[in-house]
């Protein structure tokens, strides 16, 4: 049986306490919400040309709307930030610069405010500069819908030329941009306005001109009419180069490029920049003719390497076996008539096929087992040579057209090397290519550019072909046909353009989705110097194979195309008679007894090896035995192919020091070998080279006379033999565990077997004798005083410099510098606190809460019964 429990009512004190707690909680909630709203952080992205106090423009053409001016100006016109005032300056030799305008004697230039509220002040400030009785007319804005009232004024008081030049503006590779300039010429009294889109250099040279108009008048082709007498002029730039290029915009009254004068007042506004589609650019090409005649309106220009227009640099394509047919379009109009929009190709137009340039089309047959492919008609033969351009670049444009969006319709491009009479090896592939199908809106009308960079092997001739396939390159099986895996659509390809380039151009190219770099030498480091014993000779029996005879300063040494530096009179082969293979007897075992003799009579001459590929972060030792017949010094060099001429010689031995050099033999196991020949007079010289974070390509040069001295010439004979190279160790980077605040990694060297002592003596001994792995601070390495370094000539040891070691530095998080030096256009979080409002809200809430508590207390006191 359950018990009934009577519920006791809450006492007055308890009820009072509950109510007071509730009031306090409500007050806390109200305060929390208020504080959250008042202290709320706001995300702000700086708007383009916002009217804040930063005085910094974020437009692509900075301050193209002239919103920003010097803040301390008291009278009009105001100086525009991001713009420089220039006038004409006569050419001096090959230099043709501008004359910077700093005063206002001839031209008054700057920003004016055309709003009704401020124009009276503008007119009053400029009135003293005008001729007697003249009045400055308000040009208004080119559109009444514009919020900005600033325009730029150029007032030529007399016949002269004055212009403003923008900051540098970037144009991405493969992009086309439209630049619009608004001008009001209603108060120009004589002459013309001038617009120029030029290279980034602040130079007036004609080679820097791109799109321009030297005779801008009230109307012009490619212009659009605004309000109040304003005309907008459009210019188009297409960057065909493989890298981002930079331009500047110049607008002036009179011609600062060709010294043509003008008078009066020109107003400029809203110089804008926008990317456009290939079709919009193409319309300018079709509607205008660039006949390269001065003073002709040129509304478009291509930034490109002009050399690529040589007819011999375009490869023809033909159908591969199994392909049913190929449709070529020898003119641009034929392609446009069928497929509509033209691409950004390697040419502006097809020149009716005169250059051999065209577009090819192949179409897959429905449910066919055959492949659909194009191949180069002629095999490309690549041969390495000592000329300044001995690498190769191939480029083409490609578009895939899908029928009904068929998913299997993809292209594959195979770069192949011939390995037999009819055998090909795939070197690399652009695979599963599906380009945009929206050709009417895509920036490149559905076309994509591809680049191939080739490094030829040094020993053999390489034969290269390219296979363009719609689908895959094998016949389709019955199962693939039944499963709908046969592509349905077409493949369009432009004639591949090919050119020879320098090693530096090859080295600077970056691999990626649309770029392939192919090293036909192979990615592994060389294990020897080809024909280092000089046993192999050419047909004449005089010159060693895999070595090239060169004079000092020759292009073949540097491969940079800058021209030979040695006087032509000193490059006569009569001055090097006797040079080449000599069978005087080698200092080492050599059945042929052949050595390389370098004889000079008043010149500097030698031989340079084929390319040698070195792995990254590796220690190499190069050596050569030398006998000085009647010369005083050896001249041995290591040439880095990737460096500029002034830095290309990365290690050298130019000092005769027989005992010092021979003393290193025990470190590198390179001692003169037992021989029946008399080794007297033969000495081995060493060069030590430590590669950086990237692989390297080097060559060894053996000279009589300095390789980089074209004034002091040598006479005499030097014998060279037995050129070798070895990798004696590698290095990596490890964190310094003993120093938590370290800002740099330690360099950890690992010796190859047998070279522990050499590595230790090169980079400093540690406390643990015989340790194979050494950890050293890079500063200790740079400043090391090891036994080997003390023995080697200073120039015979090369390692990464301090900046290169520093590239591997660790920067603690609390010391990271977030200032990149560039303008910040990212979203930022700000917190602007209204302290008066904050204190007011807090005091109000507390006051109300206190009053409520007092009221509750009084209420319960009144309800309490009086005692009798």
């Amino acid at each position: 049986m359950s018990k009934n429990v009577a519920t006791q009512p809450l006492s007055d004190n308890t009820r009072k306490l509950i109510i007071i707690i509730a009031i306090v909680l409500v007050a806390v909630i109200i305060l929390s919400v208020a504080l959250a709203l008042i202290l709320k952080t706001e995300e702000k992205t700086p708007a383009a040309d916002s009217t804040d106090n930063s005085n910094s423009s974020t437009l692509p053409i900075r301050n193209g709307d002239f919103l920003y001016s010097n803040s301390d100006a008291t009278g009009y016109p105001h100086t525009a930030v991001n713009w420089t005032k220039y006038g004409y300056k006569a050419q001096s030799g090959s230099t043709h610069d501008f004359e910077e305008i700093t005063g206002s004697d001839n031209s008054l230039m700057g920003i004016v405010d055309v709003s009704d509220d401020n124009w009276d002040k503008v007119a009053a400030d400029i009135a003293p500069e005008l001729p007697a009785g003249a009045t400055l007319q308000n040009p208004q804005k080119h559109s009444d819908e514009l919020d900005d009232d600033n325009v730029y004024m150029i007032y030529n008081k007399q016949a002269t030329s004055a212009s403003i030049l923008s900051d540098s503006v970037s144009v991405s590779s493969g992009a086309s941009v439209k630049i619009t300039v608004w001008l009001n010429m209603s108060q120009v009294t004589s002459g013309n306005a001038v617009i120029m889109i030029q290279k980034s250099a602040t130079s007036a040279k004609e080679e820097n001109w791109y799109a321009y108009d030297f005779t801008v008048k009230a109307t012009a082709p490619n212009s659009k009419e605004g309000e109040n007498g304003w005309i907008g002029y459009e210019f188009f730039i297409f960057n065909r180069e493989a890298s981002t290029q930079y331009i500047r915009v110049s607008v002036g009254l009179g011609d600062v490029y060709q010294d043509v004068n003008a008078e009066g007042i020109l107003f400029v506004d809203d110089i804008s920049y926008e990317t456009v589609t290939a079709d919009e650019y193409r319309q300018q090409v079709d509607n205008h003719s660039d006949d390269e005649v001065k003073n002709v309106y040129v509304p478009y220009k291509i930034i490109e390497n002009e050399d690529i227009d040589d007819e011999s640099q375009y490869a023809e394509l033909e159908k591969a076996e199994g392909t049913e047919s190929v449709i070529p379009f020898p003119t641009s109009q034929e392609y446009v008539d069928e497929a509509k929009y033209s691409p950004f190709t390697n040419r502006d137009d097809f020149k009716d096929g005169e250059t051999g340039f065209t577009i090819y089309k192949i179409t897959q047959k429905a449910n066919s087992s055959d492949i659909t492919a194009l191949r180069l008609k002629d095999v490309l033969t690549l041969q390495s040579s000592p000329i300044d351009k001995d690498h190769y670049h191939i480029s083409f444009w490609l578009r895939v057209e899908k029928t009904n969006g068929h998913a299997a319709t993809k292209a594959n491009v195979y770069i192949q090397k011939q390995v037999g009479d009819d055998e090909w090896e795939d070197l690399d592939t652009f695979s599963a290519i599906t380009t945009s199908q929206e050709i009417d809106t895509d920036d490149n009308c559905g076309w994509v550019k591809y680049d191939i960079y080739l490094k030829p092997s040094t020993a053999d001739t390489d034969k290269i072909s390219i296979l363009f396939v719609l689908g895959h390159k094998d016949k389709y099986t019955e199962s693939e046909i039944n499963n709908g895996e046969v592509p349905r659509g077409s493949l369009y390809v432009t004639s591949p353009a090919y050119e020879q380039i320098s090693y530096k151009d090859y080295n600077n190219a970056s691999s990626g989705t649309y770029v392939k770099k192919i090293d036909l030498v192979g990615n592994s480091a060389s294990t020897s110097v080809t024909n280092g014993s000089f046993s192999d000779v050419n047909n004449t029996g005089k010159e060693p194979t895999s070595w090239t005879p060169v004079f000092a300063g020759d292009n073949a040494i540097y491969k940079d195309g800058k021209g030979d530096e040695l006087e032509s009179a000193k490059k006569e082969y009569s001055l090097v008679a006797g040079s080449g293979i000599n069978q005087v007897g080698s200092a080492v075992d050599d059945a042929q007894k052949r050595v390389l003799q370098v004889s000079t009579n008043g010149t500097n001459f030698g031989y340079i090896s084929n390319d040698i590929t070195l792995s990254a972060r590796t220690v190499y030792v190069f050596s050569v035995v030398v006998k000085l017949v009647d010369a005083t010094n050896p001249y041995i060099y290591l040439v880095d192919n990737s460096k500029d001429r002034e830095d290309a010689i990365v290690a050298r031995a130019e000092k005769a020091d027989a005992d010092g050099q021979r003393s290193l033999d025990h470190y590198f196991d390179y001692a003169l070998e037992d021989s029946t020949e008399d080794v007297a007079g033969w000495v081995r010289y060493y060069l030590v080279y430590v590669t950086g974070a990237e692989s390297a390509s080097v060559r060894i040069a053996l000279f009589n006379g300095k390789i980089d001295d074209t004034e002091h010439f040598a006479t005499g004979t030097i014998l060279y033999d037995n050129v070798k190279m070895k990798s004696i160790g590698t290095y990596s980077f490890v964190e310094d565990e003993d120093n938590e605040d370290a800002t740099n990694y330690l360099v950890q060297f690992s010796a190859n077997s047998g070279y522990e002592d050499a590595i230790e003596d090169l980079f400093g001994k540690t406390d643990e004798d015989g340790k194979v792995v050494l950890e050293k601070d890079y500063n200790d390495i740079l400043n090391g005083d090891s036994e080997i370094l003390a023995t080697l000539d200073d120039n015979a040891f090369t390692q990464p410099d301090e900046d290169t070691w520093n590239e591997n530095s660790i920067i603690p998080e609390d010391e990271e510098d977030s200032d990149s030096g560039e303008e910040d256009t990212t979203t930022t979080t700000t917190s602007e606190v209204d302290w008066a409002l904050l204190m007011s809200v807090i005091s109000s809430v507390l006051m109300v809460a206190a009053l409520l508590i007092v009221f509750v207390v009084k209420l319960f006191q009144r309800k309490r019964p009086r005692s009798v």
Side-chain angles (χ1 to χ4, degrees):
M1 184 174 175
S2 63
K3 294 182 180 180
N4 292 324
V5 179
T7 302
Q8 299 295 322
L10 294 175
S11 67
D12 287 346
N13 286 337
T14 301
R15 293 169 60 195
K16 179 174 66 174
L17 181 61
I18 292 174
I19 294 174
I20 291 174
I21 291 173
I23 293 172
V24 171
L25 288 175
V26 171
V28 169
I29 293 172
I30 294 173
L31 277 175
S32 299
V33 173
L35 289 173
L37 291 173
I38 295 172
L39 299 177
K40 179 183 178 182
T41 58
E42 295 183 2
E43 289 187 347
K44 294 184 178 181
T45 301
D49 278 4
S50 60
T51 56
D52 58 22
N53 296 321
S54 64
N55 210 32
S56 177
S57 173
T58 59
L59 294 175
I61 299 178
R62 300 188 66 185
N63 204 21
D65 53 6
F66 304 108
L67 179 62
Y68 296 101
S69 62
N70 55 326
S71 58
D72 57 350
T74 57
Y76 288 101
H78 296 170
T79 300
V81 299
N82 304 121
W83 292 89
T84 307
K85 298 180 285 187
Y86 284 118
Y88 174 77
K89 184 176 183 179
Q91 184 170 348
S92 176
S94 60
T95 302
H96 191 191
D97 296 326
F98 299 105
E99 184 72 39
E100 188 167 349
I101 298 175
T102 57
S104 59
D105 292 342
N106 298 322
S107 299
L108 182 65
M109 307 170 67
I111 295 173
V112 296
D113 188 330
V114 298
S115 65
D116 293 338
D117 293 339
N118 291 318
W119 183 253
D120 289 343
K121 176 170 174 50
V122 172
D125 289 344
I126 297 176
E129 305 287 343
L130 301 174
T135 302
L136 181 66
Q137 302 297 318
N138 189 340
Q140 303 296 329
K141 296 181 288 190
H142 66 83
S143 172
D144 291 337
E145 296 180 358
L146 293 173
D147 295 329
D148 174 28
D149 294 311
N150 285 0
V151 303
Y152 197 89
M153 179 191 76
I154 301 177
Y155 168 31
N156 286 351
K157 303 177 184 179
Q158 55 190 9
T160 187
S161 57
S163 178
I164 53 174
L165 191 65
S166 74
D167 285 351
S168 184
V169 184
S170 64
V171 182
S172 300
S173 173
S176 183
V177 301
K178 178 174 71 176
I179 295 173
T180 304
V181 181
W182 284 92
L183 299 181
N184 188 313
M185 291 173 282
S186 59
Q187 297 178 63
V188 175
T189 56
S190 68
N192 298 297
V194 168
I195 301 173
M196 168 68 75
I197 316 297
Q198 67 161 70
K199 282 185 180 178
S200 180
T202 54
S203 168
K205 288 183 179 179
E206 187 171 353
E207 64 192 47
N208 293 329
W209 302 355
Y210 283 152
Y212 54 86
D213 190 348
F214 287 128
T215 58
V216 176
K217 296 183 179 180
T219 59
N222 222 59
S223 62
K224 54 185 178 181
E225 186 175 352
E227 300 168 357
N228 307 311
W230 287 87
I231 303 291
Y233 302 86
E234 295 177 345
F235 297 82
F236 294 79
I237 301 290
F238 168 42
N239 177 19
R240 183 176 287 158
E241 293 286 2
S243 60
T244 297
Q245 300 294 305
Y246 297 87
I247 60 175
R248 294 179 189 267
V249 180
S250 173
V251 184
L253 183 56
D255 184 355
V256 298
Y257 294 86
Q258 303 178 114
D259 193 23
V260 180
N261 296 331
E263 289 185 81
I265 301 173
L266 172 70
F267 293 99
V268 186
D269 198 14
D270 287 336
I271 303 176
S272 61
Y273 167 114
E274 61 181 304
T275 58
V276 297
T277 66
D279 185 53
E280 191 170 352
Y281 173 84
R282 175 64 57 181
Q283 291 175 15
Q284 310 311 313
V285 177
D286 292 341
N287 295 333
H288 299 86
S289 173
D290 180 1
D291 55 11
E292 300 299 333
V293 177
K294 291 181 180 179
N295 298 317
V296 172
Y297 181 73
V298 183
Y300 70 94
K301 182 65 178 180
I302 297 175
I303 304 175
E304 65 178 335
N305 179 358
E306 301 291 347
D307 294 339
I308 204 164
D309 287 336
D310 189 333
E311 178 178 356
S312 65
Q313 292 177 313
Y314 288 94
E316 289 187 66
L317 300 179
E318 62 182 5
K319 63 180 181 179
E321 184 178 353
T323 302
E324 183 173 310
S325 65
V326 177
I327 301 175
F329 299 95
T331 68
S332 60
Q333 194 58 51
E334 286 179 299
Y335 170 78
V336 173
D337 286 346
E338 179 189 289
K340 205 175 179 182
Y341 306 99
S342 285
F344 284 156
T345 58
N346 294 90
R347 293 193 62 87
D348 244 356
D349 54 65
F350 294 58
K351 301 291 185 185
D352 294 325
E354 291 177 4
T355 64
F357 175 81
T358 189
I359 294 177
Y360 297 87
K361 175 187 177 182
I362 50 176
T363 301
Q364 176 69 29
K365 294 181 294 184
N367 295 327
S368 171
S369 64
D370 293 332
I371 69 167
T372 301
L374 291 165
R375 181 182 286 281
L376 293 184
K377 185 175 182 180
D378 298 314
V379 173
L380 294 179
T381 301
L382 277 56
Q383 178 63 59
S384 180
S385 69
I387 63 173
D388 59 322
K389 292 185 176 181
D390 59 357
H391 290 58
Y392 294 82
H393 171 223
I394 304 171
S395 62
F396 53 86
W397 292 78
L398 181 149
R399 181 168 79 86
V400 177
E401 182 181 62
K402 297 182 178 184
T403 299
N404 298 324
H406 194 261
T409 308
K410 299 178 181 180
N412 293 280
V413 179
Y414 301 90
I415 303 101
Q416 300 177 322
K417 177 182 177 180
Q418 189 170 17
V419 293
D421 290 340
D422 203 18
E423 296 180 60
W424 295 89
E425 172 190 343
D426 292 341
L427 297 173
D428 212 332
T429 308
F430 294 107
S431 57
I433 301 171
T434 56
T435 59
S436 173
Q437 301 300 296
E438 306 299 328
I439 68 171
D440 54 343
T441 57
D442 179 67
D443 282 349
N444 277 349
C445 296
W447 287 82
V448 177
K449 182 173 182 284
Y450 291 86
D451 293 276
I452 302 167
Y453 293 87
L454 295 161
K455 177 180 180 179
S457 63
T458 56
D460 302 311
T461 296
D462 301 303
K463 296 185 180 297
I464 303 298
S465 186
I466 304 176
L467 186 66
F468 303 89
V469 186
L470 183 62
H472 58 61
K473 62 179 179 178
D474 300 316
K475 281 181 171 287
Y476 289 90
T477 65
E478 184 175 348
S479 174
E480 288 176 323
I481 295 174
N482 294 335
N483 292 333
E485 297 177 31
V486 177
R488 296 180 183 176
S490 301
L491 173 64
Y492 297 87
V493 181
T494 66
S495 300
Y498 63 95
E499 59 177 336
Q500 284 188 278
I501 60 174
S502 69
Y503 175 85
K504 293 180 179 65
D505 291 333
Y506 171 86
N507 193 53
N508 290 335
S510 299
S511 298
T513 304
Y514 309 107
V515 180
K516 297 293 185 184
K517 286 181 68 175
I518 301 174
D519 184 350
L520 294 168
V521 177
N523 294 323
S524 60
S526 304
T527 57
S528 63
V529 179
T530 304
N531 197 23
S533 64
F534 303 109
S535 299
D536 298 328
V537 296
N538 63 12
N539 294 332
T540 67
K542 185 67 175 176
E543 300 292 345
T545 61
S546 304
W547 292 81
T548 303
V550 288
F551 287 91
D554 197 287
N555 265 337
I557 301 170
Y558 307 102
K559 297 186 177 184
D560 58 5
K562 291 184 178 179
D564 301 338
E565 294 182 348
L566 194 64
E567 300 173 29
S568 59
K570 300 294 184 181
K571 295 181 66 174
E572 298 295 333
Y573 275 89
S574 61
L575 298 177
V576 296
S579 294
I581 295 298
N582 192 327
Q583 290 183 289
V584 299
S586 173
V588 296
D589 285 337
D590 185 346
Q592 290 87 5
K593 296 182 172 60
R594 291 171 178 162
V595 299
L596 178 65
Q597 177 174 317
V598 185
S599 298
T600 60
N601 184 15
T603 188
N604 294 349
F605 175 78
Y607 289 78
I608 192 164
S609 73
N610 281 345
D611 293 342
I612 304 169
T613 305
L614 307 180
S615 297
R617 297 178 177 176
T618 304
V619 183
Y620 287 93
V621 176
F622 298 85
S623 74
V624 56
V625 291
V626 182
K627 187 172 186 177
L628 308 176
V629 178
D630 51 5
T632 58
N633 287 294
Y635 296 94
I636 307 166
Y637 304 94
L638 197 63
V639 183
D640 190 320
N641 296 327
S642 67
K643 295 184 180 297
D644 293 331
R645 179 173 293 219
E646 57 271 18
D647 302 316
I649 309 302
V650 293
R652 63 178 75 205
E654 298 173 330
K655 181 181 179 183
D657 187 358
D659 293 338
Q661 297 295 337
R662 190 190 296 271
S663 69
L664 299 180
D665 290 351
H666 72 282
Y667 283 109
F668 305 123
D669 193 26
Y670 273 173
L672 294 178
E673 302 166 22
D674 293 338
S675 173
T676 58
E677 301 296 328
D678 182 7
V679 298
W682 287 94
V683 178
R684 186 174 291 280
Y685 285 82
Y686 294 91
L687 301 175
V688 177
Y689 188 60
V690 185
T691 58
E694 303 292 337
S695 60
S697 176
V698 300
R699 289 169 294 151
I700 297 176
L702 308 175
F703 259 69
N704 192 351
K706 289 190 175 183
I707 194 173
D708 47 9
D709 190 342
T710 57
E711 296 181 0
H712 304 94
F713 302 111
T715 296
T717 294
I718 303 177
L719 303 179
Y720 291 104
D721 196 17
N722 201 233
V723 186
K724 291 186 176 182
M725 60 167 284
K726 281 187 178 181
S727 166
I728 67 169
T730 59
Y731 69 90
S732 57
F733 295 91
V734 295
E735 190 170 352
D736 187 353
E737 296 178 354
D738 296 331
N739 183 3
E740 294 181 355
D741 297 327
T743 58
N744 292 94
Y745 282 105
L746 289 175
V747 185
Q748 184 180 78
F749 285 92
S750 299
N752 292 344
S753 178
Y755 295 102
E756 292 85 355
D757 290 343
I759 288 293
E760 284 193 357
D761 278 343
L762 272 171
F763 302 106
K765 288 182 178 294
T766 66
D767 294 335
E768 300 177 49
D769 292 336
K771 184 177 181 182
V772 177
V773 178
L774 308 176
E775 294 179 0
K776 301 295 293 180
D777 184 272
Y778 76 96
N779 279 313
D780 294 337
I781 297 169
L782 285 172
N783 303 321
D785 186 21
S786 71
E787 183 176 343
I788 294 179
L789 290 180
T791 306
L792 281 170
D793 184 280
D794 290 342
N795 295 318
F797 179 88
T798 301
Q799 64 175 319
D801 58 22
E802 184 174 358
D803 289 339
T804 305
W805 291 121
N806 267 319
E807 288 176 2
N808 299 282
S809 62
I810 302 173
I811 306 298
E813 291 185 3
D814 57 350
E815 295 180 12
E816 286 184 352
D817 185 3
S818 61
D819 184 5
S820 64
E822 300 178 355
E823 188 171 347
D824 183 13
T825 58
T826 58
T827 300
T828 58
T829 301
T830 62
S831 179
E832 298 178 0
V833 180
D834 188 333
W835 292 103
L837 176 61
L838 176 61
M839 297 307 297
S840 175
V841 170
I842 293 175
S843 59
S844 298
V845 172
L846 292 177
M847 183 180 295
V848 171
L851 289 174
L852 288 173
I853 292 172
V854 171
F855 174 76
V856 170
V857 171
K858 292 291 185 182
L859 178 63
F860 277 88
Q861 286 178 344
R862 293 179 59 185
K863 293 176 61 178
R864 182 179 301 169
R866 295 180 181 179
S867 59
V868 179

